[in-house]
């Protein structure tokens, strides 16, 4: 009986074991996947962030899927093309040949509008061109503070303008004049710098001057300039996101226009070509301009020696005292620092003074007839 009781107990225990089996531990593959989920999510988010920061490829003119080429272009030594626009008297009849360099968010048609009468009187031939990435000129992702000067020299040689020519640069194109004065002074017969952009980090600016100029800008422009200088990899996202205001110049914010600027704004109605300006993409035009203009330069215009020590050419600097886009304080200090620069400050003018009535003729006449 005892034996049979033991058997019954044994069989009962066995039944219990079958009813409540010991759980199996999770497989190593399932456990490893669970551990890797946070890492995979992080990598996915990082990939999405990287895509947001990367600008799209430019739509290069004359290539499949790109805008058409509608005007004359010249090929540089490195294979890039510059689109250009000629006006004034015919080149072979000209006494003075002038290259005009346009500003930010502009193109070759935004040239200084010299009157036909003055062009005939002084024998003025002018040519303007699309800077790299604008209009119909090929982008130049490797552009530096110096490279544009050699593009201009290549344009002059390609158009056979002769050993010397005049330069006029406006706004961001005005900043480029310093590069030309540094790199190709032997090719220049005279230079006019109109409302030039200044880089707040150029050495030679006293802190009080750069600080005063800095706070003339709207806060959103202060941030856009900071990003261009300190975090160039963020420039595309910063200037295209919709979370907060980016560059007021890019968005055409009227708050950056002076009283006098507002009176000439109707003249922009003639810009039927405005769609061409950014047609290859904003990054290789607008953003690249900001990255170079406000980037980390290897030299400072404020430390330049006179490129014309024998007086063989003159440099004129013009700026509007009421400029809310490019603070006048920077140009004032440059003129004080560089005695070889002839400074013209316009007391009631804003940034758009080169398109006000009579100013183009005054600027050109002052440059060509330097004794007046």
């Amino acid at each position: 009986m005892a034996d049979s009781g033991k058997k019954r107990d044994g069989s009962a225990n066995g039944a219990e074991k079958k009813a409540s089996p010991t759980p199996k531990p999770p497989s190593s593959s399932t456990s490893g996947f669970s551990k890797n989920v946070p890492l995979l999510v992080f990598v996915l988010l990082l990939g999405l962030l990287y895509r947001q920061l990367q600008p799209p490829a430019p739509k290069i003119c004359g290539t499949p899927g790109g805008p058409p080429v509608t005007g004359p272009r010249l090929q540089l030594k490195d294979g890039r093309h510059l689109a250009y626009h000629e006006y004034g008297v015919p080149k072979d009849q000209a006494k003075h040949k002038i290259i005009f360099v346009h500003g930010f968010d502009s193109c070759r048609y935004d040239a200084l509008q010299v009157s036909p009468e003055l062009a005939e009187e002084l024998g003025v031939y002018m040519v303007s061109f699309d800077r790299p990435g604008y209009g119909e000129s090929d982008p130049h992702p490797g552009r530096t503070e110096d490279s544009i000067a050699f593009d201009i020299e290549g344009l002059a040689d390609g158009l056979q303008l002769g050993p010397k020519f005049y330069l006029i640069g406006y706004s961001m194109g005005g900043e480029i004049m310093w590069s030309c004065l540094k790199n190709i002074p032997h090719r220049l017969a005279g230079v006019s710098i109109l409302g030039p952009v200044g880089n707040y980090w150029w050495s030679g600016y006293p802190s009080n001057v750069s600080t005063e100029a800095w706070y003339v800008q709207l806060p959103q422009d202060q941030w856009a300039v900071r990003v261009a200088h300190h975090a160039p990899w963020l420039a595309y996202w910063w200037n295209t996101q919709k979370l907060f205001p980016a560059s007021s110049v890019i968005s055409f914010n009227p708050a950056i226009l002076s009283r006098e600027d507002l009176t000439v704004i109707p003249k922009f109605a003639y810009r039927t070509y405005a769609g061409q300006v950014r047609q290859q993409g904003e990054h290789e035009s607008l953003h690249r301009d900001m990255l170079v203009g406000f980037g980390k330069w290897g030299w400072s215009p404020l430390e330049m020696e006179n490129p014309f020590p024998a007086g063989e050419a003159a440099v004129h600097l013009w700026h509007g005292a009421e400029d809310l886009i490019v603070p006048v304080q920077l140009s004032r200090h440059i003129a004080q620092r560089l005695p070889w620069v002839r400074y013209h400050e316009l007391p009631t003018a804003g940034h758009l003074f080169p398109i006000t009535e009579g100013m183009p003729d005054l600027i050109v006449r002052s440059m060509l007839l330097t004794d007046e």
Side-chain angles (χ1 to χ4, degrees):
M1 293 293 293
D3 289 341
S4 62
K6 287 180 181 178
K7 286 179 183 178
R8 283 196 298 271
D9 291 340
S11 61
N13 289 339
E16 279 184 8
K17 288 178 182 178
K18 288 179 182 178
S20 304
T22 304
K24 293 182 180 180
S27 66
S28 58
S29 60
T30 305
S31 176
F33 178 78
S34 300
K35 290 179 180 178
N36 287 330
V37 165
L39 178 61
L40 291 172
V41 171
F42 174 74
V43 171
L44 179 61
L45 291 175
L46 198 62
L48 292 173
L49 176 62
Y50 178 79
R51 287 188 61 185
Q52 289 292 318
L53 298 178
Q54 297 307 301
K59 299 177 180 179
I60 300 175
C61 289
T63 64
V69 175
T70 63
R73 302 201 303 174
L74 179 146
Q75 189 169 27
L76 299 172
K77 291 179 181 178
D78 64 3
R80 287 181 296 114
H81 295 87
L82 291 182
Y84 62 91
H85 168 62
E86 298 172 289
Y87 58 109
V89 303
K91 183 169 52 180
D92 58 357
Q93 299 174 22
K95 297 177 183 176
H96 307 287
K97 297 168 185 174
I98 303 173
I99 297 178
F100 179 80
V101 185
H102 69 75
F104 186 77
D105 202 9
S106 304
C107 71
R108 65 192 185 276
Y109 297 124
D110 292 304
L112 195 69
Q113 298 300 311
V114 176
S115 70
E117 293 78 15
L118 183 76
E120 288 291 337
E121 176 192 343
L122 300 182
V124 176
Y125 158 89
M126 295 189 72
V127 59
S128 58
F129 68 100
D130 290 334
R131 292 194 286 109
Y134 282 107
E136 296 179 9
S137 287
D138 293 338
H140 188 195
R143 181 152 56 108
T144 69
E145 66 269 25
D146 293 308
S147 61
I148 187 65
F150 301 106
D151 287 356
I152 290 171
E153 184 177 38
L155 176 71
D157 290 340
L159 294 177
Q160 300 180 340
L161 299 189
K164 290 201 173 189
F165 49 87
Y166 292 88
L167 278 180
I168 301 176
Y170 170 52
S171 192
M172 194 67 82
E175 184 186 56
I176 287 168
M177 297 298 96
W178 302 117
S179 176
C180 295
L181 288 165
K182 174 182 178 286
N183 291 291
I184 57 168
H186 58 288
R187 302 298 305 274
L188 306 179
V191 177
S192 289
I193 308 172
L194 315 180
V197 167
N199 187 315
Y200 298 90
W201 292 270
W202 283 339
S203 59
Y205 279 133
S207 59
N208 63 314
V209 171
S210 55
T211 300
E212 183 184 357
W214 180 262
Y215 286 104
V216 172
Q217 303 177 101
L218 295 178
Q220 66 196 76
D221 293 322
Q222 295 170 19
W223 277 105
V225 170
R226 277 193 193 100
V227 167
H229 184 80
H230 294 293
W233 49 271
L234 194 59
Y236 169 73
W237 177 83
W238 188 274
N239 289 291
T240 55
Q241 52 74 36
K242 306 301 181 186
L243 301 175
F244 45 81
S247 167
S248 62
V249 183
I250 293 177
S251 63
F252 302 115
N253 186 340
I256 60 175
L257 298 175
S258 73
R259 192 179 312 171
E260 197 166 293
D261 286 341
L262 290 170
T263 66
V264 297
I265 276 293
K267 290 191 175 185
F268 280 82
Y270 75 87
R271 297 179 82 235
T272 55
Y273 51 83
Q276 292 186 26
V277 173
R278 308 181 186 184
Q279 66 182 351
Q280 297 187 85
E282 292 189 8
H283 187 69
E284 286 302 333
S285 52
L286 309 183
H287 306 161
R288 185 70 62 191
D289 244 5
M290 297 175 71
L291 296 179
V292 176
F294 298 113
K296 297 176 181 178
W297 286 39
W299 53 278
S300 171
L302 286 92
E303 297 171 349
M304 289 178 61
E305 298 291 334
N306 186 352
F308 310 116
E312 56 270 38
V315 178
H316 293 261
L317 172 56
W318 300 74
H319 213 120
E322 300 298 319
D323 194 332
L324 301 179
I325 298 176
V326 179
V328 69
Q329 289 86 349
L330 301 181
S331 286
R332 281 178 185 160
H333 186 75
I334 288 177
Q336 294 169 9
R337 182 84 176 240
L338 305 178
W340 43 272
V341 171
R342 304 185 184 196
Y343 184 52
H344 311 262
E345 186 167 307
L346 307 170
T348 63
H351 192 63
L352 303 181
F353 71 86
I355 67 172
T356 59
E357 194 68 33
M359 275 306 300
D361 284 10
L362 178 60
I363 291 165
V364 170
R365 187 182 289 279
S366 297
M367 181 175 68
L368 299 184
L369 307 176
T370 55
D371 291 335
E372 289 191 2

